[in-house]
Amino acid sequence: DAGITQSPRHKVTETGTPVTLRCHQTENHRYMYWYRQDPGHGLRLIHYSYGVKDTDKGEVSDGYSVSRSKTEDFLLTLESATSSQTSVYFCAISEGGRGGELFFGEGSRLTVL
Amino acid sequence: SQQGEEDPQALSIQEGENATMNCSYKTSINNLQWYRQNSGRGLVHLILIRSNEREKHSGRLRVTLDTSKKSSSLLITASRAADTASYFCATDAIGGGADGLTFGKGTHLIIQP
């Protein structure tokens, strides 16, 4: 299994509070991604990174920010959580970049009350 | 926006039977990939087929690609209870953004013992 760790795995928070999800990899892959998975929508890309301090927006980036200060860590921040951000969040990594095989973490289930 | 759409949304078969899932997509692609997701887990890459390939095999998996019809199928032969999972197709669209893959909503496969 690819070395990808997401934390926390489960979190319940209240509307308006900040939340940070962490993705840590031990594979030294250049590309990292954050997806959210919701019933009826499948997986949708939030943000991705193609190197340290190099990030870009995905399909559903509003309300989210990311940071990558080290190759191994990719942080997803919800500055002020809303109920619509209740979801399961998956981190993925890729060695070859766009179009390549993705390796996924186990997911972080976030509930915003 | 959803590039790939799996069909059927749900499929229930007896153990030992073959399972076929289909994926249709809208724009030209570089490659198409299939992933499996067990309940409560992250996605796992199964197979990648390039646009210039028509068929690919991996163990009990057979994937076909028809670029003229913009469709792909995943066949699982001699199904087992452990094959119970959701299956997603993901496409790398030509001219797509640097983020790469777009996922469908998945087919939920149940193998009855």
Side-chain angles (χ1 to χ4, degrees), chain A residues 13-26:
Chain A
T13 191
E14 295 190 350
T15 298
T17 60
V19 175
T20 295
L21 305 180
R22 179 182 183 234
C23 179
H24 178 78
Q25 62 145 330
T26 58

Side-chain angles (χ1 to χ4, degrees), chain B residues 12-37:
Chain B
S12 180
I13 62 173
Q14 295 295 317
E15 193 167 19
E17 295 180 338
N18 296 340
T20 299
M21 289 156 270
N22 302 295
C23 172
S24 59
Y25 57 91
K26 298 174 183 174
T27 62
S28 297
I29 60 172
N30 294 307
N31 70 62
L32 183 145
Q33 302 177 35
W34 285 92
Y35 289 78
R36 183 189 75 234
Q37 183 180 33

Side-chain angles (χ1 to χ4, degrees), chain B residues 43-95:
Chain B
L43 280 73
V44 174
H45 182 266
L46 295 176
I47 199 164
L48 180 154
I49 187 165
R50 302 189 189 285
S51 60
N52 61 352
E53 298 174 309
R54 291 297 167 257
E55 188 171 312
K56 208 160 182 180
H57 297 253
S58 177
R60 293 184 295 112
L61 306 181
R62 172 179 168 245
V63 169
T64 61
L65 179 64
D66 187 334
T67 53
S68 67
K69 296 181 179 179
K70 292 185 169 59
S71 67
S72 173
S73 67
L74 170 66
L75 169 67
I76 304 174
T77 60
S79 63
R80 306 167 181 170
D83 294 328
T84 293
S86 292
Y87 293 81
F88 296 86
C89 68
T91 51
D92 175 26
I94 292 175

Side-chain angles (χ1 to χ4, degrees), chain A residues 1 9 33 35 37 40-45 48 57-59 90 97-107 109, chain B residues 1-2 30-31 33 35 37 40-45 48 88 92-105:
Chain A
D1 291 343
R9 294 290 314 280
Y33 307 81
Y35 287 87
Q37 184 176 35
H41 290 279
L43 268 78
R44 293 179 292 174
L45 182 67
Y48 64 99
K57 297 178 180 180
E59 180 188 353
F90 287 96
R98 70 151 295 155
E101 175 184 351
L102 295 179
F103 299 92
F104 282 83
E106 292 295 293
R109 181 175 293 276
Chain B
S1 60
Q2 227 71 36
N30 294 307
N31 70 62
Q33 302 177 35
Y35 289 78
Q37 183 180 33
R41 306 295 298 274
L43 280 73
V44 174
H45 182 266
L48 180 154
F88 296 86
D92 175 26
I94 292 175
D99 50 331
L101 298 180
T102 303
F103 287 81
K105 298 177 184 180

Side-chain angles (χ1 to χ4, degrees), chain A residues 72-100:
Chain A
E72 57 266 36
D73 289 327
F74 192 31
L75 304 180
L76 177 70
T77 297
L78 293 66
E79 299 291 346
S80 178
T82 66
S83 58
S84 65
Q85 294 175 312
T86 292
S87 186
V88 181
Y89 291 86
F90 287 96
C91 174
I93 64 175
S94 170
E95 185 175 22
R98 70 151 295 155

